[in-house]
Structure formats: structure tokens, C-alpha cells
């Protein structure tokens, strides 16, 4: 299983932001799903993401990820406004599996409030990785 970036923060729903949770309000972060999620899902074949300008709320559904095994809701790990969506994954959903913490990011959010987030060690411990 891929190593978890130690400078990212993680939600219990298997999403990440590319920043430490302690000082993110007001900043813009990328959001994606973890390697734990991609391993459990299998091959990702489609992703429905929020649109630029949408408001997302931490812990609330903001899209879905479909794999060859199942469809899973995507939950925002933070509250804020969507500033960008990763256009590179449209039609190339395998990028999410190949590089979930890099090229496979899903969307960017300017944060108004952070949800409950874990460090890499806390996330790894709670997921047995």
C-alpha cells in the first residue's frame, strides 16, 4: 500500500487535503481520496465532482466515485468554496488509482472551516496500514 504523505491531513471517510489541519482556514487546498480508498474500491472508472463555485460542507456528500466494484459517495473533508476541478482525470480516471496523492487530486477548495481531520499516523492507525 502506498505511503501516506505526512504533511497531508485525512478524514475518516478516506479523503485528504494537502495541508496540515491546524492552520488551513482561509487557505486553498487540494482534495483527493486516499490509497486506502482506491485499494478498497478497485479500478476507478468514473468520478462525479462538485463544480467550480459550489459550496461544500465538511462531512457532507459532494460527489461520488465509481469503480468496477461499487459506487461510493465522496465527502468533503472541509467546508468552503470549490475553486478548481482536476480536468486531467476526466476520461483518465485511472490516474486516481495510479497517483491518488498527486496527479489524481479531485478538486481545490478555499476553506471556511475544517472538519475533523487526522494526521497521517492517526489515519494509518485507524485503518490498519
Amino acid at each position: 500500500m502506498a505511503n501516506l504523505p505526512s504533511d497531508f491531513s485525512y478524514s475518516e471517510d478516506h479523503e485528504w487535503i494537502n495541508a496540515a489541519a491546524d492552520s488551513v482556514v482561509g487557505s486553498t487546498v487540494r482534495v483527493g481520496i486516499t490509497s486506502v480508498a482506491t485499494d478498497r474500491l478497485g479500478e476507478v472508472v468514473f468520478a462525479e465532482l462538485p463544480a467550480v463555485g459550489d459550496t461544500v460542507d465538511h462531512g457532507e456528500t459532494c460527489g461520488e466515485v465509481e469503480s468496477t466494484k461499487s459506487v461510493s459517495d465522496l465527502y468533503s473533508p472541509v467546508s468552503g468554496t470549490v475553486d478548481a476541478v482536476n480536468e486531467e482525470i476526466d476520461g483518465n480516471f485511472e490516474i486516481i488509482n495510479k497517483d491518488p496523492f498527486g496527479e489524481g487530486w479531485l478538486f481545490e477548495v478555499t476553506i471556511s472551516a475544517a472538519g475533523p481531520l487526522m494526521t497521517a499516523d492517526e489515519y494509518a492507525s485507524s485503518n490498519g496500514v
Side-chain angles (χ1 to χ4, degrees):
M1 188 169 298
N3 290 331
L4 301 170
S6 61
D7 55 339
F8 284 22
S9 298
Y10 302 87
S11 74
E12 65 180 17
D13 296 310
H14 309 293
E15 284 82 24
W16 56 259
I17 63 169
N18 63 338
D22 55 3
S23 59
V24 295
V25 174
S27 62
T28 300
V29 298
R30 285 189 170 168
V31 175
I33 60 173
T34 68
S35 54
V36 172
T38 61
D39 288 347
R40 290 179 183 170
L41 282 169
E43 182 184 348
V44 175
V45 296
F46 182 74
E48 180 183 316
L49 303 175
V52 172
D54 282 358
T55 299
V56 293
D57 293 310
H58 69 81
E60 298 295 319
T61 304
C62 62
E64 62 184 30
V65 178
E66 185 176 332
S67 72
T68 53
K69 294 181 184 178
S70 67
V71 176
S72 296
D73 285 334
L74 180 63
Y75 298 93
S76 183
V78 294
S79 298
T81 303
V82 176
D83 292 324
V85 175
N86 187 353
E87 303 290 342
E88 297 299 315
I89 62 173
D90 191 20
N92 297 306
F93 299 106
E94 66 273 2
I95 296 170
I96 298 169
N97 289 92
K98 288 180 184 173
D99 191 11
F101 298 111
E103 306 259 331
W105 64 276
L106 302 178
F107 58 95
E108 292 182 349
V109 178
T110 298
I111 299 176
S112 61
L117 295 168
M118 296 178 268
T119 65
D121 288 343
E122 291 166 337
Y123 178 80
S125 177
S126 72
N127 286 282
V129 292

